[in-house]
Amino acid sequence: MAETKSNRVVRRGRIFPEIQWSEERKAQWQAESKAFRQRCEVIFKRVQPELIKTHYNWYIAVEPESGDYFIDKNDMVATKMALEKYPHRKLHLFRINETGVCGTI
């Protein structure tokens, strides 16, 4: 019985090797993300005490430019409502509880 050779090429490494972020770019991205979260958190902290009484453990999607927020029991529905009104803007999702965190670690 003759053995056949495999023509399969094993590729190891990054999926997109042409995309390489420098340490400065990574630090810039992290700083921008942190600043964005802080802008959203100001709005969340303002409405949290009122909403925690009536909507405990619901989700709130915050759009910081306008100050609008959208709440629902389902995280995907809250996000969808926000994206319908602001389709090209960045949002941040919080959970309406004491910490604002959506999950557990």
Side-chain angles (χ1 to χ4, degrees):
M1 184 157 147
E3 290 185 32
T4 59
K5 267 188 149 179
S6 173
N7 291 340
R8 186 171 157 234
V9 177
V10 178
R11 297 173 195 240
R12 294 189 174 101
R14 296 181 55 95
I15 296 173
F16 300 107
E18 65 276 3
I19 301 175
Q20 297 289 327
W21 279 14
S22 64
E23 292 301 318
E24 295 82 25
R25 178 68 180 114
K26 288 178 190 175
Q28 177 189 4
W29 181 80
Q30 288 174 342
E32 289 170 358
S33 295
K34 185 176 181 180
F36 180 78
R37 178 179 163 74
Q38 288 173 343
R39 288 187 12 235
C40 293
E41 199 165 16
V42 168
I43 297 166
F44 173 68
K45 293 290 184 188
R46 186 182 72 225
V47 298
Q48 178 191 22
E50 177 185 317
L51 293 176
I52 205 166
K53 297 173 188 172
T54 56
H55 297 90
Y56 191 77
N57 271 340
W58 284 35
Y59 294 92
I60 179 170
V62 177
E63 196 287 310
E65 300 299 324
S66 65
D68 286 349
Y69 57 90
F70 305 86
I71 59 173
D72 197 88
K73 282 184 179 182
N74 187 325
D75 59 338
M76 297 304 285
V77 174
T79 302
K80 184 179 178 185
M81 289 183 338
L83 289 174
E84 283 176 0
K85 187 166 183 182
Y86 302 106
H88 301 294
R89 293 199 188 164
K90 196 173 172 185
L91 308 167
H92 193 80
L93 190 71
F94 295 96
R95 192 154 195 174
I96 303 173
N97 57 23
E98 293 80 10
T99 61
V101 178
C102 291
T104 58
I105 297 176

